[in-house]
């Protein structure tokens, strides 16, 4: 008799129950929703925010299906997209700039499922629609930016240590310092080594008896700066995406120098591209007002230490190269209007250090012009160059000058999110519409459904009752696979659907091996009970070997693949493990239920069994 221990039935029952519960949320359709989250650090997400959201919706007489509060903010569900858009506008007006109100799609599954952590899988960009960017970080620019910072730092260091020098400038390899005295150069080398461990300082021969020193970044410091530039860019991209109001974006590093950005539901590609790719930062410099300097620059001879730019009216402005203040000192930036001229403006708040520097500079340069520049990858523009009338304290700066309301919003957004540590170039771009995503979902699930139906029909026709048992175990395998992906909150993509279809085809292979082994045992004269026992035991080694080799290939795809290949590998590897469990453990339990209770078993419903000719002849002779 084929008995199965009670504990194994308990394990099967628990596995099937958990699989059913965690698969169930995927059958509920997504409904339009609005997601409210914080746009600034320090803004609390608590029950009071939930109450404010519900009160705003009731005040605007907008019906909603339910509102919930979680770690990411408040999520409100609606019956249709029109109500969703009205609610977004009403909430954005009511809550103000401290909160981000984004459109989203949420599952309509019951709350009791969410309370036990049963959530649906996320849908990837190819199923949901949106935009995909692959961005390349300019590593050379990151190092150049670090070198520019050290020019200012070393100048301040020389002054604080009272070391006399004749000049400091960037060169091809680092920062070059010039001295008239060897003793001063040696003092500078010692001070740089002590103060900046990331710099390698050495002496350098100069013309006409001039003493020089060169300070350049050590190789390990360069590697750290480059790695830090990628991570800082990723963080800043997240801030910018949050400002755009995109729900559930995917921003992750790919390789050493690239970043993948996926924005579900975004269809305005030009707007997203402009915000993500811009490297805008703020610089404050003094205007060079030396007599004849501007005319000399316009004639093609720009004075040393100065740059010639145009303001928004097209007028030339000669600014000194030394940066007084950068956008790194910005705490906050909000778009608004200039109270005197009623023109769009950006109101900037500086941190403590920035406020002190700005106060000192304005105090020392009353009556002179100060230029505020917007620096981007391809251009530098003078936004405004006003005359300093008096000392400006408090760390509040207003930037205005022939800008539109949209441009003021964009500039304030970029300043709040921060400047990229290094420029980034979009090397790949894809846009997938929501209708195409819906079509991908339909085709993908249809392929899985029809693949399953054809497999089930074939296996049932060929192995009869044992084929039905194999189909049941295959169904449970699919149930367990989807439930594990839901528990992991995996993102389902088209390659993932392909991996599910492939897993079903491979899973049935284990059942075929078991059934053929049972047939072989019956063919050689074994009793039905002995054939079942031997069939499962002797097929196990073959099943294990074939699945381990396939699992190794899946792990290799995961380790060395990127993007869709890695997603395919994850589903593939999980499917291999669930197929082994269902084909051997679960199907064995079902067979024990069907045949195990019979003391005398005459035959097994496993299809036509062809015995060897010699066995048939011997049986006939007997």
């Amino acid at each position: 008799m084929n008995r199965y221990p009670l504990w194994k039935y308990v394990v099967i029952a628990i596995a099937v129950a958990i699989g059913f519960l965690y698969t169930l949320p995927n059958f509920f359709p997504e409904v339009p929703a609005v997601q409210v989250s914080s746009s600034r650090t320090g803004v609390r997400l608590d029950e009071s925010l939930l109450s404010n959201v519900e009160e705003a919706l009731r005040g605007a007489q907008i019906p909603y299906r339910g509102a919930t509060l979680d770690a990411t903010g408040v999520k409100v569900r609606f019956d249709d997209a029109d109500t969703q858009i009205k609610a977004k506008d009403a909430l954005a007006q009511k809550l103000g700039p401290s909160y981000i109100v984004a459109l989203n799609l949420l599952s309509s599954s019951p709350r009791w499922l969410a309370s036990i952590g049963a959530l649906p899988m996320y849908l990837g960009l190819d199923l949901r629609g949106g935009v995909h960017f692959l961005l390349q970080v300019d590593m050379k620019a990151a190092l150049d930016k670090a070198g520019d910072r050290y020019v200012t730092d070393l100048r301040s260091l020389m002054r604080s240590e009272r070391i006399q020098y004749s000049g400091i400038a960037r060169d091809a390899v680092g920062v070059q310092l010039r001295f008239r005295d060897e003793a001063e150069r040696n003092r500078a080398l010692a001070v740089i080594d002590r103060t900046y461990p990331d710099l390698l300082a050495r002496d350098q021969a100069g013309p006409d008896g001039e003493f020089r020193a060169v300070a350049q970044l050590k190789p390990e410091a360069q590697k750290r700066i480059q790695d830090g530039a990628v991570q800082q860019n990723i963080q800043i991209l997240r801030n910018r995406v949050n400002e755009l109001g995109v729900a559930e974006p995917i921003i992750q590093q790919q390789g050493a120098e690239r970043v993948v950005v996926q924005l579900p539901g975004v269809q305005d590609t030009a707007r997203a591209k402009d915000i993500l790719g811009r490297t805008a930062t703020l610089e404050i410099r003094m205007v060079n007002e030396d007599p004849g300097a501007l005319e000399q620059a316009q004639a093609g001879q720009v004075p040393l230490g100065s740059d010639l730019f145009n303001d928004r009216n097209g007028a030339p402005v000669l600014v000194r190269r030394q940066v007084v203040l950068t956008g790194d000192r910005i705490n906050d930036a909000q778009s608004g209007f200039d109270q005197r001229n009623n023109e769009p403006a950006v109101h900037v708040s500086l941190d403590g250090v920035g406020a002190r520097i700005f106060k000192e500079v304005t105090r020392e340069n009353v009556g002179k012009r100060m230029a505020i520049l917007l620096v981007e990858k391809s251009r530098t523009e003078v936004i405004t160059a006003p005359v300093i009338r008096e000392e400006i304290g408090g760390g509040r700066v207003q930037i205005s000058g022939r800008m539109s309301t949209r441009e003021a919003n964009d500039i304030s957004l970029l300043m709040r999110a921060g400047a990229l540590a290094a420029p980034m170039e979009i090397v790949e771009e894809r846009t997938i519409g929501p209708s195409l995503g819906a079509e991908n979902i339909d085709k993908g699930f249809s392929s899985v459904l029809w693949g399953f139906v054809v497999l089930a029909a074939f296996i049932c026709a060929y192995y009869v009752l044992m084929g039905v048992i194999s189909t049941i175990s295959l169904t449970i395998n699919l149930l367990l696979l989807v439930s594990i992906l839901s528990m992991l909150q995996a993102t389902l993509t088209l390659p993932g659907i392909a991996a599910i279809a492939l897993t079903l085809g491979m899973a049935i292979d284990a059942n075929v091996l078991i059934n053929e082994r049972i047939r072989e045992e019956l063919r050689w004269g074994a009793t039905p009970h002995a054939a079942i026992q031997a069939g499962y035991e002797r097929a196990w080694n073959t099943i294990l070997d074939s699945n381990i080799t396939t699992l190794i290939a899946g792990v290799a795809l995961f380790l060395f693949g990127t993007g869709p290949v890695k997603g395919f590998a994850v589903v593939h590897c999980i499917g291999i493990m669930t197929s082994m469990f269902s084909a051997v453990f679960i199907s064995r339990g079902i067979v024990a239920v069907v045949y195990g209770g019979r003391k005398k078993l005459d035959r097994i419903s496993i299809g036509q069994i062809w015995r060897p000719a010699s066995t048939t002849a011997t049986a006939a002779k007997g």
Side-chain angles (χ1 to χ4, degrees), residues 284-424:
I284 297 178
R285 307 188 200 176
M286 296 305 300
V287 176
N288 186 345
E289 297 181 279
D290 295 341
L294 179 59
E295 291 75 10
Q296 181 184 348
Q298 287 180 295
Q301 297 179 348
V302 179
L304 185 65
S306 298
D307 292 311
L308 181 64
F309 301 116
N310 292 326
D311 64 12
R312 300 207 158 186
N313 295 320
V317 180
L318 185 65
V319 298
R320 300 194 183 276
R321 194 165 293 171
Q322 182 179 356
V323 178
V324 175
L325 205 62
T326 67
D328 297 337
R329 297 300 180 186
I330 293 176
N331 268 344
D332 190 23
Q334 297 292 334
S335 60
F337 290 91
D338 184 350
Q339 293 182 354
R340 287 183 298 181
N341 301 321
N342 199 30
E343 293 180 349
V346 178
H347 302 282
V348 179
S349 298
L350 303 175
D351 62 10
V353 176
R356 178 179 56 79
I357 294 173
F358 194 74
K359 182 178 180 180
E360 291 175 357
V361 170
T362 53
R363 182 178 63 241
E364 296 171 358
N365 293 278
V366 173
K368 298 180 180 179
R369 293 178 68 196
M370 171 185 285
I372 299 177
L373 298 89
L374 187 66
V375 183
E376 299 196 41
K377 179 180 178 182
S378 57
R379 64 191 178 96
T380 301
E381 183 182 20
V382 178
I383 299 177
T384 182
V387 176
I388 302 173
R389 302 297 183 187
E390 59 184 2
E391 177 185 315
I392 302 174
R396 299 282 299 178
V397 183
Q398 177 180 286
I399 303 173
S400 60
R402 299 180 64 87
M403 64 176 71
S404 64
T405 304
R406 172 71 174 270
E407 189 174 12
N409 289 331
D410 286 351
I411 291 173
S412 62
L413 183 160
L414 293 168
M415 288 182 180
R416 285 197 305 272
L420 295 174
M424 303 181 76

Side-chain angles (χ1 to χ4, degrees), residues 425-467:
E425 181 183 0
I426 297 175
V427 295
E428 181 184 333
E429 173 189 340
R430 292 200 306 271
T431 304
I432 300 172
S435 58
L436 179 59
E439 184 180 350
N440 288 339
I441 292 176
D442 292 339
K443 290 184 176 180
F445 283 105
S446 294
S447 65
V448 174
L449 175 62
W450 285 107
F452 180 85
V453 169
V454 171
L455 278 174
F458 173 78
I459 208 78
C460 291
Y462 197 73
Y463 293 113
V464 197
L465 183 56
M466 289 297 290

